[in-house]
Amino acid sequence: MILLKLSIINYKNIRTATLDMSPKMNCFIGHNGVGKTNVLDAVYYLSFCRSSNNPIDSQVISHNQDFFVVEGDYLTDEGEPLSVYCGMKRGTKKHFKRNKKEYKRLSEHIGLIPLVVVSPADTMLIDGGSEDRRRLMDMVISQYDYAYLEALTRYAKALQQRNALLKMEDEPDEEMMNIWEEQMAAEGETIFAKRDEFVKELTPIFQTYYQNISSNRETVGLEYISHCRRGPLLDVIRRDRHKDRAVGYSLHGVHRDDLEFTLDGHPMKREGSQGQNKTYVIALKLAQFDFLRRTASRTTPLLLLDDIFDKLDSERVEKIVRLVAGDGFGQIFITDTDRKHLADILQNCSHDYKLFHVDDGEITEKERDV
């Protein structure tokens, strides 16, 4: 997939921009806080129907403005044109269109334009709670498996209903409790099987990328942890129903799943340096890219690299640059405050590229000479 043109009106601090993109490398330079990440977030929005860092749509509208619009003109891997439009006025629902036809359900769009983003916030995958790591699995699998996304939706509804029953002061209706537990178990088993398969297939790809970037200095691993490994999920959920009643929510199920990150056999959270942590999450995201390219209808994802070189030694930066500038990756969007990093990238890039300067939401294309 290639984004040929990006149009933005009133998106965060970007009042208006129309950008013709390079099919290979697009670099955005500027100081911190000027809007570089917002450009990438607009690209993200067109893939996932939401901002990467703010779930409230009205809050992406520029201050003192009444609406926002983001549009993208794409070219598929098969050479077919594709247009995606999103617009929203304050106080109304957003409109999302594919080739001028509005979606009935936004979930139908997920996976059409596969995308992987690498950003400083990814350190939360190591330092944060299990919900961050579950979100990682869900975001990737949902882009190539619509049935998984549907199972997540049904599971979430069943979980919400069961939790509502658990919070009741009076003893909840046994039949209703059984219904929601059975649905949780059925959908949860499906989710578990797909997550388990994903982690098994992703791990060797991830390990290869990490070894490449780190010059084989360390060994890394991924372990998928789930209540489903304790036996049939329905039995696990029902076994401690009295405890769930005491706390008022469901203690067991795939909503408590986790991914354990390891370095040389030890938990990454305890063992990793800042550079190792950064290398870990970058390798993990590059592995996701490779995985999606093979699975998402054989569509090459877009790769967004947002200020990723900080806290990495020069050798690891060089390895990453060589990887992303090669033929194994498609269209890439990079932000950085350091012109030297971009100069190194472009020097190693034998393909077409464009360089943009961002200042207080204003975006201007620069000459190719960095």
Side-chain angles (χ1 to χ4, degrees):
M1 188 71 71
I2 294 172
L3 177 58
L4 301 174
K5 178 180 286 188
L6 176 67
S7 300
I8 305 172
I9 301 175
N10 297 335
Y11 191 86
K12 298 188 175 181
N13 78 325
I14 303 172
R15 290 301 175 87
T16 179
T18 301
L19 308 175
D20 293 316
M21 298 298 188
S22 161
K24 179 57 183 178
M25 192 82 69
N26 298 276
C27 305
F28 298 86
I29 61 171
H31 298 299
N32 289 325
V34 297
K36 304 186 304 297
T37 298
N38 293 342
V39 180
L40 269 56
D41 195 55
V43 177
Y44 181 99
Y45 204 111
L46 290 173
S47 284
F48 291 102
C49 309
R50 62 181 295 275
S51 167
S52 64
N53 50 37
N54 192 337
I56 303 174
D57 291 309
S58 61
Q59 293 183 2
V60 306
I61 302 175
S62 299
H63 295 309
N64 302 318
Q65 300 298 315
D66 296 325
F67 71 97
F68 84 88
V69 172
V70 179
E71 295 182 87
D73 294 331
Y74 297 83
L75 192 66
T76 70
D77 286 16
E78 292 75 34
E80 297 292 326
L82 169 69
S83 67
V84 177
Y85 164 94
C86 182
M88 177 181 171
K89 293 182 179 179
R90 289 193 189 277
T92 66
K93 72 171 188 175
K94 62 186 170 188
H95 297 276
F96 222 94
K97 299 178 183 179
R98 171 185 177 182
N99 293 333
K100 299 183 179 180
K101 184 177 180 180
E102 185 151 6
Y103 284 102
K104 293 182 179 178
R105 302 173 65 191
L106 293 180
S107 60
E108 297 172 2
H109 180 72
I110 306 302
L112 177 68
I113 307 168
L115 179 148
V116 173
V117 57
V118 188
S119 77
D122 291 333
T123 56
M124 289 300 294
L125 292 171
I126 295 173
D127 300 329
S130 59
E131 65 273 11
D132 295 297
R133 294 178 286 276
R134 285 193 299 275
R135 191 179 303 115
L136 169 82
M137 293 188 286
D138 294 343
M139 184 172 292
V140 179
I141 302 172
S142 295
Q143 289 187 73
Y144 66 85
D145 191 332
Y146 184 73
Y148 179 82
L149 185 59
E150 292 285 279
L152 280 177
T153 301
R154 291 190 294 267
Y155 181 90
K157 179 182 178 181
L159 174 64
Q160 181 183 39
Q161 295 296 327
R162 183 178 190 265
N163 284 347
L165 291 174
L166 292 171
K167 289 181 174 69
M168 294 177 62
E169 292 186 10
D170 297 330
E171 192 64 25
D173 183 270
E174 180 77 13
E175 184 177 351
M176 290 302 299
M177 183 70 80
N178 288 336
I179 289 173
W180 294 121
E181 288 176 343
E182 288 167 6
Q183 183 167 357
M184 274 182 66
E187 305 299 345
E189 296 278 8
T190 298
I191 292 166
F192 165 75
K194 292 178 182 291
R195 285 177 178 172
D196 192 43
E197 181 183 13
F198 163 69
V199 174
K200 287 177 180 175
E201 293 185 25
L202 183 74
T203 299
I205 305 172
F206 157 63
Q207 291 171 328
T208 298
Y209 274 113
Y210 189 94
Q211 290 163 5
N212 186 321
I213 297 171
S214 68
S215 300
N216 297 305
R217 291 196 188 103
E218 306 104 13
T219 301
V220 292
L222 296 170
E223 183 181 352
Y224 174 36
I225 300 168
S226 176
H227 290 145
C228 286
R229 300 197 187 281
R230 300 180 182 179
L233 185 55
L234 184 58
D235 293 346
V236 174
I237 291 171
R238 286 178 171 167
R239 191 177 302 153
D240 289 323
R241 187 193 286 178
H242 64 288
K243 292 182 180 179
D244 294 354
R245 278 281 287 154
V247 297
Y249 57 88
S250 302
L251 292 168
H252 297 89
V254 295
H255 61 287
R256 305 296 291 260
D257 285 358
D258 202 354
L259 266 181
E260 184 176 13
F261 296 168
T262 61
L263 178 72
D264 292 333
H266 303 287
M268 191 73 192
K269 185 179 291 189
R270 288 205 313 259
E271 299 293 322
S273 66
Q274 286 185 322
Q276 288 170 329
N277 288 352
K278 196 84 178 262
T279 303
Y280 197 101
V281 295
I282 290 173
L284 191 59
K285 290 301 188 77
L286 295 183
Q288 290 175 37
F289 179 96
D290 196 293
F291 188 89
L292 279 173
R293 183 177 54 184
R294 302 180 194 188
T295 54
S297 303
R298 303 293 177 180
T299 299
T300 305
L302 305 180
L303 180 62
L304 279 52
L305 306 176
D306 187 17
D307 190 23
I308 68 167
F309 298 112
D310 185 40
K311 297 182 177 65
L312 290 175
D313 59 56
S314 58
E315 181 181 351
R316 297 193 185 211
V317 169
E318 183 181 350
K319 291 287 182 65
I320 294 168
V321 167
R322 191 176 299 126
L323 278 171
V324 301
D327 292 330
F329 291 86
Q331 190 179 28
I332 301 168
F333 301 80
I334 300 178
T335 71
D336 207 299
T337 57
D338 190 335
R339 293 173 66 92
K340 183 181 183 303
H341 286 149
L342 293 181
D344 291 341
I345 292 170
L346 300 179
Q347 184 178 0
N348 286 276
C349 179
S350 60
H351 303 277
D352 180 45
Y353 68 85
K354 285 195 174 186
L355 179 67
F356 300 91
H357 183 263
V358 185
D359 184 18
D360 195 23
E362 296 287 333
I363 307 166
T364 54
E365 185 174 347
K366 309 297 287 185
E367 295 293 328
R368 287 171 58 101
D369 182 19
V370 183

